[in-house]
Amino acid sequence: MPGVIESFVLFVLTAAGVSGTALAVGVSLITGAIGIGLSVGLSYLASSLFRPEPPKPEDIQVTLKSPVAPRQRHYGRVKTSGVLTFAESKNGALFKVLALGTGLLDAIEELWVDDNRVVNSGANGLVPTAPYGNRLLIQTRLGLATETHYAHLSGFFTEWTSAHRGDGMSSLYAVQYAVKQDQISSIFPNLSNTLYRAVVRGAKVLNPVTGLVDWSDNAAAVVRDYIVHADGMRLPVSLVSTSQAAAGWLAAYNRAAEAVPRKGGGTEPRYRLWGTYRFDERPADVLGRMQECCDARIVPTPDGGVTLDIGAWEEPTVILDEDAIVGFSEVSRGRDILTTANTIRATYLSSVHDYQSTDADQWIDDADAALRGEIVTERQFILAPSHSQARRLMKLAAYRANPSWIGNFQFNLKALAAFGKRFVRIRYPLFGINEVFEVQDFRFNIGEGGILTGVSMQLISMPSTAYAWNAATEEGTAPVSENVVVDRTIPLPTGFSFGVNRITVGGQMVPVGVIQFNLAPAGLMIEGRYKRTADSAWQVIPVGDQATEAQTGALSDGDQYEAQVRHITVTGRQGAWTASQTLTVVADTTAPGVVSGVTKTGGAGTVNLGWTSPNSANYSAANIRRNTVNTEGTASLVRTEYGAPSAADGWQDTGLAAGTYYYWIKARNASGVESASVATGAVTVT
């Protein structure tokens, strides 16, 4: 037994303060009828006292700009950014290098720029994915012991030499190339703060079944790696390699790998660990976080090693009855109100929620909550990568928060058989107890002269139902993914047409182009442009706010012109131009035929007009004039509606006050020459 205790003391000292986590060795004074002595033992109780807040999964997705940022290492599958180690601009381009983590990654599976998943092509790393269109370059390194420097960066900055390899450090190199001013908001809206992240498969770990080192998210394999790794707890490998310790790690690996049914069909491994630890954390806190997420505890082995026990209910081989029990304290039916709970709330790591900590469906004892009201305790299972795993851990937490029995028992030396055991059976007729208990705290009682006098244990009852699992009824409902595919495309303007009007300038009729379009949607504005078809340079068409029509400069008769329109956002992001509408300006003095089939319908503040354009090849549009009296000479031109010959057309006049109105419609050609008018007669507006 001394060798077992010594190995455990070594373990705890290496953990650097493990009393704040799931395992502790303690020494305390005890007094009683037998005199004064010591109590030495180990505790599996988790305490949050003075424990710093662990890094959440979303914390590692932020780019750090600190010269003294702590290093970090990844297990399982995580989404991470990194520490900015280089950032300079040259020739309009921005160059960045991010350190993603310490140690060799198994793979980089996905690349993300802001909220866009991208793919880089070939050895050069250019990103063709929209909206970047090869205006972005991304290269990565996995973190080999002897890495390769970024030669592309050295080509621009001679101070970045071949010695800047970043050995043993995974990294990401990005170049944002210069883009046109009107494209910045579309391609790099965050400018120098563009966020780079990667979904990575973290450290490779030992598989105790095959003896090979490869990527795995098996909880036991991850815990073992952390305990012995040079960037972890740094325990001697010999401590986990004794024959009995190795057998325990193998059993824990197989337990974690067991297939657990899922509510939606299929299975998943019982316990996996995904996450990141930082080198400024206490090893004890990291280990405790891992153990909490796989119902595990470190236990000593009789041959002086340490191994991992992952919870699995079994009928205990150690039975302690009144012949072994020599005392007790604080034995009660269940916990007191300060430590009990009937509602367990927890978070877990959800890959479908952008690899962030996400609230699991709460575990609630409805009957108890109805009787006493909700008594809530909160847990963080931020290394558990599935809702099912979180719910199974929440169920165990619920049983531990509300046991049938709890108490501190003192035993004679018969209880030494329980050292390192998770479960014991207590038979104590005085209280009517004959149940399986989980060991929360185990201590050796040492009397005067260093003589071992007995054992003290803190116990809670733990029935087999705590470890039973029915996915259909107990997995609960996982939160719905809030990852919404945002359509960032800007729509094309609708109702676009391009026609010719004639205005009088200096006593002469001058042709101008007129574009018409539907009102832009909220948050968008219209831009227009035109040019001679033979020219290369476009000219801007000024468009007013809330306008549905705009006018070009003067056109030349006989030339062909084209016009286009597009939407822009209030932040300057630009949509695509519409296809060109073309026309040829013709000096035409022949009036087209008159319109026919004129109709009118009055309504509430509106008049709907309809007509059929004449079968005249030179027909261009219909001029509509309006008056409140039946006199065409004083009527005002209120609309020029462009259209094709021999086509049904119409227009709605809106915003009218109640009363009687008269309209006259004239067909016109492209040079502005009008036909005779057709009167609608009186129409009433209500």
Side-chain angles (χ1 to χ4, degrees):
M1 190 64 71
V4 175
I5 298 175
E6 289 169 2
S7 67
F8 235 72
V9 170
L10 171 62
F11 177 86
V12 174
L13 291 176
T14 307
V18 78
S19 59
T21 67
L23 172 67
V25 168
V27 179
S28 62
L29 284 172
I30 58 173
T31 60
I34 62 172
I36 300 176
L38 292 174
S39 175
V40 181
L42 53 98
S43 173
Y44 301 105
L45 296 173
S47 170
S48 61
L49 188 62
F50 306 123
R51 183 188 301 181
E53 187 72 14
K56 295 182 175 63
E58 51 268 30
D59 294 341
I60 67 168
Q61 297 190 34
V62 177
T63 300
L64 299 179
K65 302 178 181 179
S66 170
V68 291
R71 292 189 294 163
Q72 60 187 21
R73 189 162 175 262
H74 310 292
Y75 284 115
R77 183 176 279 109
V78 299
K79 191 172 191 178
T80 184
S81 184
V83 179
L84 191 63
T85 60
F86 182 92
E88 291 289 345
S89 60
K90 194 170 190 177
N91 300 331
L94 178 63
F95 300 77
K96 287 184 179 181
V97 177
L98 299 178
L100 301 179
T102 298
L104 178 65
L105 298 177
D106 182 59
I108 294 178
E109 296 182 325
E110 299 175 9
L111 295 173
W112 289 77
V113 181
D114 291 331
D115 290 323
N116 304 312
R117 183 178 177 182
V118 301
V119 176
N120 59 343
S121 58
N124 60 15
L126 287 173
V127 176
T129 312
Y132 305 103
N134 291 331
R135 304 307 300 163
L136 173 65
L137 177 148
I138 297 178
Q139 297 177 3
T140 58
R141 300 289 186 266
L142 293 178
L144 295 169
T146 302
E147 262 299 353
T148 305
H149 80 296
Y150 290 109
H152 184 272
L153 179 59
S154 299
F156 291 88
F157 297 92
T158 56
E159 60 268 34
W160 190 274
T161 68
S162 59
H164 291 79
R165 298 188 305 268
D167 293 347
M169 183 73 66
S170 57
S171 61
L172 181 150
Y173 166 55
V175 183
Q176 298 171 210
Y177 290 108
V179 298
K180 295 179 180 178
Q181 182 69 28
D182 60 1
Q183 295 178 321
I184 291 177
S185 60
S186 298
I187 301 177
F188 299 117
N190 295 315
L191 303 176
S192 62
N193 292 319
T194 298
L195 178 62
Y196 295 92
R197 295 175 295 170
V199 175
V200 306
R201 291 202 304 266
K204 298 180 179 182
V205 296
L206 176 69
N207 182 329
V209 176
T210 64
L212 301 177
V213 175
D214 204 350
W215 181 84
S216 173
D217 55 4
N218 180 282
V222 169
V223 173
R224 185 190 182 281
D225 182 84
Y226 179 72
I227 286 177
V228 301
H229 198 276
D231 292 323
M233 293 183 69
R234 302 184 297 277
L235 281 184
V237 175
S238 60
L239 200 60
V240 298
S241 302
T242 66
S243 60
Q244 291 176 327
W249 286 106
L250 178 60
Y253 182 94
N254 290 333
R255 170 66 173 165
E258 290 174 354
V260 176
R262 298 184 59 182
K263 181 179 179 179
T267 63
E268 67 175 55
R270 182 174 297 279
Y271 290 123
R272 296 174 292 159
L273 295 179
W274 292 5
T276 299
Y277 68 91
R278 289 179 173 162
F279 289 12
D280 60 350
E281 294 186 81
R282 294 191 311 167
D285 294 331
V286 178
L287 179 61
R289 192 158 71 240
M290 292 178 175
Q291 291 175 264
E292 289 171 355
C293 291
C294 60
D295 188 36
R297 52 174 61 179
I298 299 293
V299 295
T301 58
D303 60 355
V306 292
T307 193
L308 191 71
D309 170 31
I310 290 183
W313 197 93
E314 60 182 1
E315 181 62 38
T317 58
V318 177
I319 301 174
L320 302 173
D321 55 19
E322 65 270 23
D323 290 338
I325 299 172
V326 298
F328 55 82
S329 63
E330 300 180 5
V331 176
S332 64
R333 277 282 195 179
R335 294 186 181 273
D336 61 56
I337 192 64
L338 296 178
T339 57
T340 188
N342 54 33
T343 301
I344 311 296
R345 294 176 183 162
T347 57
Y348 71 103
L349 188 154
S350 174
S351 60
V352 299
H353 292 85
D354 200 33
Y355 290 84
Q356 299 192 18
S357 54
T358 305
D359 291 331
D361 191 2
Q362 67 180 8
W363 188 281
I364 183 168
D365 183 337
D366 292 316
D368 192 74
L371 181 64
R372 298 191 294 167
E374 278 196 0
I375 306 173
V376 178
T377 186
E378 297 186 355
R379 306 295 298 272
Q380 290 188 352
F381 301 126
I382 56 176
L383 300 183
S386 80
H387 186 257
S388 169
Q389 183 170 330
R391 287 279 292 180
R392 283 179 268 121
L393 294 167
M394 292 165 74
K395 180 179 180 180
L396 292 171
Y399 273 89
R400 290 175 179 132
N402 200 16
S404 298
W405 288 96
I406 183 171
N408 297 315
F409 289 84
Q410 289 80 48
F411 302 93
N412 57 29
L413 296 180
K414 289 183 178 180
L416 288 176
F419 185 66
K421 301 291 187 182
R422 181 182 286 258
F423 299 116
V424 296
R425 178 173 287 277
I426 302 296
R427 291 175 178 166
Y428 201 47
L430 179 63
F431 292 153
I433 297 176
N434 183 9
E435 295 190 27
V436 174
F437 283 74
E438 184 178 58
V439 178
Q440 300 288 290
D441 185 83
F442 186 103
R443 295 183 181 273
F444 299 101
N445 298 330
I446 302 175
E448 294 180 3
I451 298 174
L452 181 63
T453 60
V455 168
S456 297
M457 283 187 272
Q458 182 176 335
L459 305 170
I460 62 170
S461 57
M462 183 62 68
S464 61
T465 52
Y467 282 89
W469 184 248
N470 186 322
T473 60
E474 295 181 313
E475 187 174 307
T477 302
V480 176
S481 171
E482 297 176 357
N483 290 340
V484 178
V485 178
V486 178
D487 185 1
R488 294 178 55 85
T489 58
I490 299 175
L492 290 172
T494 57
F496 172 50
S497 64
F498 181 34
V500 176
N501 196 10
R502 293 272 173 170
I503 60 175
T504 301
V505 179
Q508 295 185 348
M509 297 295 290
V510 176
V512 294
V514 177
I515 57 172
Q516 292 180 330
F517 39 83
N518 293 334
L519 186 68
L524 298 178
M525 299 175 291
I526 294 284
E527 277 190 347
R529 65 181 184 180
Y530 77 104
K531 68 179 182 69
R532 285 186 178 88
T533 304
D535 293 343
S536 58
W538 291 89
Q539 300 183 59
V540 175
I541 303 175
V543 180
D545 292 340
Q546 302 297 307
T548 58
E549 181 177 295
Q551 184 174 287
T552 71
L555 307 180
S556 299
D557 271 332
D559 288 343
Q560 187 182 60
Y561 290 83
E562 61 180 307
Q564 299 174 341
V565 292
R566 69 178 177 186
H567 283 134
I568 62 170
T569 68
V570 293
T571 60
R573 199 161 60 89
Q574 301 159 336
W577 291 104
T578 61
S580 290
Q581 296 271 353
T582 60
L583 59 82
T584 300
V585 181
V586 179
D588 185 2
T589 59
T590 303
V594 298
V595 299
S596 60
V598 174
T599 61
K600 64 183 186 300
T601 304
T606 64
V607 170
N608 289 305
L609 301 176
W611 65 90
T612 299
S613 58
N615 185 22
S616 301
N618 66 343
Y619 171 82
S620 173
N623 287 339
I624 303 171
R625 292 175 173 83
R626 181 186 68 205
N627 207 340
T628 55
V629 295
N630 193 17
T631 303
E632 183 180 3
T634 57
S636 300
L637 179 66
V638 293
R639 179 71 175 179
T640 299
E641 185 70 20
Y642 293 91
S646 299
D649 210 344
W651 176 67
Q652 184 184 64
D653 196 2
T654 60
L656 300 173
T660 302
Y661 294 86
Y662 301 83
Y663 293 86
W664 292 266
I665 304 176
K666 289 185 177 182
R668 49 156 285 185
N669 65 20
S671 295
V673 180
E674 296 180 322
S675 69
S677 64
V678 177
T680 64
V683 57
T684 301
V685 174
T686 57

